Amino acid sequence: MTAGKPIKCIAAVAYEAGKPLTVEEITVDPPKAHEVRVKIDYTAVCHTDAYTLSGVDPEGAFPAILGHEGAGIVESVGESVTNVKPGDHVIALYTAECQKCKFCTSNKTNLCSSVRATQGKGVMPDGTSRFHNAKGEDLLHFMGCSTFSRYTVLADVSVVAIDPKAPLEKVCLLGCGVTTGYGAAVKTANVQKGDTVAVFGAGTVGLSVVQGAKVRGCSKIIVVDINDDKKTWASEFGATDFINPMKDLKKGETIVDKLVEITDGGLDFTFDCTGNVNVMRDALEACHKGWGQSIIIGVAAAGKEISTRPFQLVTGRVWKGSAFGGIKGRSEMNGLISDYFDGKLKVDEFITHRRGFTEINDAFEDLHHGDCLRTVLDLSK
Ligand code: NAD
Ligand code: AHE
Ligand code: ZN
């Protein structure tokens, strides 16, 4: 019986930006009121974990326990928790859903304000941490999830109980990449049958945009990536065309020229899934005059800014952003799980690598290789 007591367990601690994680034993405090302690079974590594570890995230602070694409089983709950109970299978939500704040009740956004301020500072809503290292030093939380630990503590609004039949070693990916891309296509952009779409960046996020566009019956789904290794995947997930701007352009031709030419004036929707602000500009400018919309999903480093001529917007192109695909985690996650069970949403296909948890630094290396979409780490053994 561990409820109410501190638990010692293995975790990967980010002590310093740009340095490998340290796998060590930490202590995880019991959950306080409106908090949940979860035994994480599986976590994947998202590009955003690498972004924060690299030191370019304005909210990145150390030492911290990173990780936000994870799934596990509730070990214990604090006072007043009603949405989950011990034994529930859950997915961690970096975009909370309190169902009470101005944002949640607006019906206009999935962004929830209930815990976002403290989440960004790496602490629980009461301003303190539940993680301590062997020296007794506090370790910061990350994105309200910290899934790179066998046990973690989350706010109750940051967990969703899922159908226990869903395989945690796969649906952990619904904690970020797959949901983000798919939701950006079907919810934020709400692409429709016959629309033309270009997706810049064919990682898990971009390929999930592709699968959303395919489900909706888009007529052209063009993937733009500088890595030719992504071509086969792009086609497997539903792309109709693949362009490598480093190789496939004529002398003097830009990617915008090419896209505008092959789509008779530009795309109905474009998506940035790279985090590169120059790509974001290209994505906007490749949109069709009068109605084209460009959705920014990629996360850019501190100090980076987007720019374009205002004329691009005056003439009807729209710049939008999307966090977690516009999906409300507690209300909508089980719908995605049903789609997964029904074969309408690909998840397993993104898992290219599996590793034991102690190989977590190798999983960060995997991210840089063209043959990797997601590495899933097993904490259960
Ligand atoms: P990833 O690294 O697996 O994929 C990125 C892809 O972009 C790679 O295939 C790479 O070859 C390609 N690329 C890089 N530079 C390019 C360029 N100049 N032109 C064309 N393609 C280029 O990353 P991912 O996990 O799929 O995440 C993609 C982005 O989305 C990251 O910036 C990540 O931080 C961000 N993200 C945002 C959200 C959100 O809610 N907004 C959620 C998850 C991830
Ligand atoms: N901390 C960064 C911003 C990071 C960011 O934009 N995060 C995305 C999710 S990335 C998941 O892989 C997001 O959802 N943003 C909305 C939010 O509320 O964080 C910074 O620039 O400060
Ligand atoms: Zn992520």
Side-chain angles (χ1 to χ4, degrees), residues 46 48 51 57-59 68 94 116 143 176 299 323:
C46 169
T48 306
Y51 154 88
D57 178 354
E59 289 186 310
H68 62 283
Y94 66 83
R116 184 62 185 84
M143 288 177 75
C176 185
V299 169

Side-chain angles (χ1 to χ4, degrees), residues 109-175:
T109 178
N110 65 329
L111 299 175
C112 165
S113 63
S114 63
V115 297
R116 184 62 185 84
T118 46
Q119 177 172 315
K121 294 190 172 75
V123 288
M124 295 301 291
D126 73 347
T128 63
S129 169
R130 304 288 163 270
F131 300 125
H132 319 284
N133 66 10
K135 292 184 194 157
E137 295 161 342
D138 284 355
L139 304 169
L140 293 167
H141 295 243
F142 176 64
M143 288 177 75
C145 294
S146 291
T147 57
F148 295 163
S149 176
R150 179 64 161 137
Y151 285 86
T152 188
V153 179
L154 306 94
D156 55 2
V157 293
S158 305
V159 285
V160 58
I162 57 164
D163 183 337
K165 292 194 293 301
L168 296 179
E169 71 274 20
K170 294 179 174 145
V171 298
C172 59
L173 264 53
L174 292 175

Side-chain angles (χ1 to χ4, degrees), residues 152-313:
T152 188
V153 179
L154 306 94
D156 55 2
V157 293
S158 305
V159 285
V160 58
I162 57 164
D163 183 337
K165 292 194 293 301
L168 296 179
E169 71 274 20
K170 294 179 174 145
V171 298
C172 59
L173 264 53
L174 292 175
C176 185
V178 172
T179 303
T180 295
Y182 185 73
V186 304
K187 214 163 170 204
T188 308
N190 193 16
V191 298
Q192 300 293 322
K193 187 173 168 59
D195 285 342
T196 57
V197 167
V199 181
F200 292 74
T204 294
V205 173
L207 293 170
S208 293
V209 173
V210 170
Q211 64 165 330
K214 185 178 180 196
V215 161
R216 285 289 172 88
C218 292
S219 59
K220 229 178 192 348
I221 307 172
I222 305 169
V223 166
V224 180
D225 199 299
I226 52 174
N227 185 340
D228 267 351
D229 294 347
K230 301 296 174 107
K231 189 172 182 171
T232 309
W233 269 318
S235 138
E236 279 169 14
F237 282 94
T240 57
D241 302 74
F242 180 90
I243 303 173
N244 180 341
M246 312 288 272
K247 294 171 58 189
D248 299 337
L249 301 178
K250 287 182 274 194
K251 197 164 184 295
E253 187 183 41
T254 66
I255 184 65
V256 174
D257 295 337
K258 171 99 179 169
L259 289 169
V260 168
E261 185 209 317
I262 64 175
T263 56
D264 187 25
L267 284 305
D268 296 319
F269 293 95
T270 65
F271 298 82
D272 168 71
C273 309
T274 71
N276 178 322
V277 293
N278 301 315
V279 173
M280 293 175 191
R281 179 178 191 150
D282 287 344
L284 186 270
E285 296 181 359
C287 283
H288 202 287
K289 180 178 176 179
W291 62 76
Q293 296 192 18
S294 187
I295 320 298
I296 293 179
I297 309 175
V299 169
K304 294 286 182 190
E305 295 183 345
I306 49 170
S307 62
T308 191
R309 287 188 66 224
F311 186 66
Q312 294 286 338
L313 307 186

